[in-house]
Amino acid sequence: MKALLLIAHGSRRQRSNDEVIALAEKLKTECAEHYDIVQAAFLELADTLIADGIENCVRDGARQITVLPYFLNSGRHVTEDIPHDVDAVRPNFPDVEIQIAQHIGASTAMIDMLKATAVNAV
Amino acid sequence: MKALLLIAHGSRRQRSNDEVIALAEKLKTECAEHYDIVQAAFLELADTLIADGIENCVRDGARQITVLPYFLNSGRHVTEDIPHDVDAVRPNFPDVEIQIAQHIGASTAMIDMLKATAVNAV
């Protein structure tokens, strides 16, 4: 089974975290052909944290997990913190393949999305 | 003249800020038919700050300015801090129309972009 774990920063404002959880729910529907499990997790400040999110996926049967950072910039969180948290739990699940996808800000479609928003606003 | 001001949070890590500035440069090319001026500005921690960004646009001849928040969640920065900074400078430029577009995380295309990244990673 394949799992997708959407990782956001996490906020003290629960409404922000709920937006991410709702996004993961939508993504679950959209990616049903490709992923059996789609869940949200957070780097800090909110439940579920990355390690717990990975553990939940494995417990639900995942043997391939794709971690997708919902971050705009390739800052420390993307380049260091998320890989660190993922690497910390890898030894616990030697039979599970865990990979980190590119952060969403690196998507080539970002410029099109910004353009659409900018043009609609004129 | 119309200006687009792409607003990111701002980081102590200059490379992150440079990514936003590079994105604004790309957006300038993409939106040339719709905006005469396209620049990046930051909420905090980095130059140019929002107030200075707006002032620069006006000095360059802008009479309509669209502020585009490059933020994923509708947290305090989007709902309070950016509007606060924009409202603070409005009285200085009574002849300039300044509007705030929806933050990029609210784009309906976000789910498609996430799906594309997730599916490419499988």
Side-chain angles (χ1 to χ4, degrees):
Chain A
M1 287 178 73
K2 291 178 184 174
L4 178 67
L5 201 59
L6 183 69
I7 308 292
H9 184 280
S11 170
R12 288 187 184 84
R13 191 172 165 275
Q14 189 53 40
R15 209 184 305 171
S16 289
N17 302 327
D18 289 342
E19 281 182 14
V20 178
I21 292 167
L23 194 60
E25 281 293 314
K26 273 192 200 169
L27 205 50
K28 185 177 183 170
T29 308
E30 292 290 328
C31 293
E33 288 178 33
H34 304 276
Y35 290 97
D36 308 290
I37 299 165
V38 179
Q39 290 181 1
F42 300 94
L43 181 62
E44 58 188 24
L45 301 177
D47 288 326
T48 307
L49 293 176
I50 294 175
D52 296 327
I54 289 173
E55 190 177 331
N56 291 344
C57 290
V58 174
R59 202 185 47 215
D60 290 347
R63 290 298 170 268
Q64 285 184 39
I65 301 175
T66 299
V67 171
L68 200 176
Y70 187 54
F71 285 74
L72 289 173
N73 293 314
S74 63
R76 188 170 45 81
H77 292 324
V78 165
T79 59
E80 296 175 30
D81 298 338
I82 293 174
H84 173 273
D85 287 3
V86 170
D87 287 343
V89 298
R90 278 189 203 279
N92 302 344
F93 311 112
D95 299 334
V96 180
E97 184 191 319
I98 309 175
Q99 63 170 343
I100 303 178
Q102 70 172 4
H103 65 289
I104 197 65
S107 171
T108 53
M110 183 59 84
I111 194 80
D112 298 327
M113 210 165 78
L114 285 168
K115 181 181 177 184
T117 300
V119 169
N120 284 337
V122 177
Chain B
M1 287 177 75
K2 291 178 185 174
L4 178 67
L5 201 59
L6 183 69
I7 308 293
H9 184 280
S11 170
R12 288 188 183 84
R13 192 172 165 274
Q14 188 54 38
R15 211 184 304 171
S16 289
N17 302 327
D18 289 342
E19 281 183 15
V20 178
I21 292 166
L23 194 60
E25 281 293 314
K26 273 193 200 168
L27 204 51
K28 185 177 183 170
T29 307
E30 291 290 328
C31 293
E33 286 178 33
H34 304 276
Y35 290 97
D36 308 290
I37 300 165
V38 179
Q39 289 181 1
F42 300 93
L43 180 63
E44 58 188 23
L45 301 177
D47 287 328
T48 307
L49 293 175
I50 295 175
D52 296 327
I54 289 173
E55 190 176 331
N56 291 344
C57 290
V58 174
R59 202 185 47 215
D60 290 347
R63 289 300 170 267
Q64 286 184 39
I65 300 175
T66 299
V67 170
L68 200 176
Y70 187 54
F71 285 73
L72 289 173
N73 292 313
S74 63
R76 187 170 46 82
H77 292 324
V78 165
T79 59
E80 295 175 28
D81 298 339
I82 293 175
H84 173 273
D85 287 3
V86 170
D87 287 344
V89 297
R90 279 188 204 279
N92 303 344
F93 311 112
D95 300 334
V96 179
E97 185 191 319
I98 309 175
Q99 63 169 343
I100 303 177
Q102 70 172 4
H103 65 289
I104 197 66
S107 172
T108 53
M110 183 60 83
I111 194 80
D112 299 328
M113 212 165 77
L114 285 168
K115 181 182 177 182
T117 300
V119 170
N120 284 338
V122 177

